Amino acid sequence: MRNPPSKSAGAVRIVAGRLRGSRLAVPEREGLRPTPDRVRETLFNWLMPYLPGMRCLDLYAGTGALGIEALSRGADACTFVERDRELARALADNLARLRVPGAEVANADAAGWLAGPARPFDLVFLDPPFDANLWQGAAALLESRGWLADGGFAYVESPREARLELPPAWAPHREGFAGAVRYALYRRSGAVPLS
């Protein structure tokens, strides 16, 4: 992907798992950039040994492709947080149409939602709109309020050149690049060292 598109419309395909090949309807929205198939495939290959039974949080859900891919591949539950009412409704419609168990959609602003009572998640997807510069504030709230479990993973998608200051407890695990996008997986301290 050279530059994130300014608008998105059409469909996103689920890459693997029990929902493999399913398509998610995507409303046209300025700045919406669904994570490409190739990036999702790489990410979930990294997560494959850990994914079964995980509780996930798709914080800036958009299409919900990341969280739905996790559920398709064996995660137990995913909470999707999306402030845009139309996107949240489209996501809920896609989940109902695909009969996805363990999914919850919150039509809310991410920062306000994170201010509520925390429950730890095993995997958090942090992929906010690139032009809003929300990574550090959201990561700080996730860490300080206890949203990410010990040993849990945080997936961060950002512009290739962005220099993010993430919590010190988030140890880099893997990273990759797709055009102008950097995608990285972190693991919160308290985990068994990885080989």
Side-chain angles (χ1 to χ4, degrees):
M1 180 159 85
R2 291 190 189 108
N3 288 311
S6 62
K7 291 187 179 182
S8 178
V12 174
R13 181 180 63 94
I14 299 301
V15 177
R18 70 178 191 80
L19 299 171
R20 180 182 182 176
S22 297
R23 297 206 172 265
L24 309 176
V26 179
E28 185 171 306
R29 273 294 181 270
E30 195 72 35
L32 182 65
R33 350 152 253 99
T35 300
D37 291 3
R38 184 174 63 88
V39 172
R40 277 185 285 125
E41 182 67 28
T42 300
L43 168 63
F44 286 99
N45 284 342
W46 295 342
L47 288 167
M48 190 173 16
Y50 313 100
L51 201 56
M54 278 188 156
R55 295 171 324 273
C56 307
L57 172 62
D58 196 343
L59 191 55
Y60 298 90
T63 65
L66 289 167
I68 294 173
E69 190 83 47
L71 291 167
S72 178
R73 293 173 182 243
D76 270 1
C78 187
T79 298
F80 299 85
V81 179
E82 175 52 56
R83 76 175 179 179
D84 183 292
R85 183 168 295 158
E86 186 180 345
L87 287 175
R89 184 172 35 249
L91 174 53
D93 290 347
N94 281 324
L95 290 165
R97 179 178 53 82
L98 296 173
R99 296 187 177 102
V100 179
E104 167 192 15
V105 178
N107 181 204
D109 174 74
W113 190 85
L114 289 173
R119 59 186 192 271
F121 288 92
D122 305 305
L123 173 59
V124 174
F125 299 107
L126 183 54
D127 180 17
F130 279 13
D131 62 355
N133 197 22
L134 299 169
W135 295 274
Q136 285 150 200
L141 283 171
L142 287 163
E143 180 62 24
S144 67
R145 299 200 34 86
W147 287 101
L148 186 58
D150 270 352
F153 291 93
Y155 169 75
V156 180
E157 195 169 311
S158 63
R160 185 182 196 110
E161 304 304 323
R163 296 292 170 248
L164 306 180
E165 292 181 28
L166 300 175
W170 294 16
H173 177 53
R174 299 261 176 96
E175 73 173 358
F177 299 92
V181 174
R182 174 181 180 263
Y183 55 98
L185 191 61
Y186 297 84
R187 195 162 195 196
R188 192 171 184 279
S189 63
V192 176
L194 300 174
S195 54

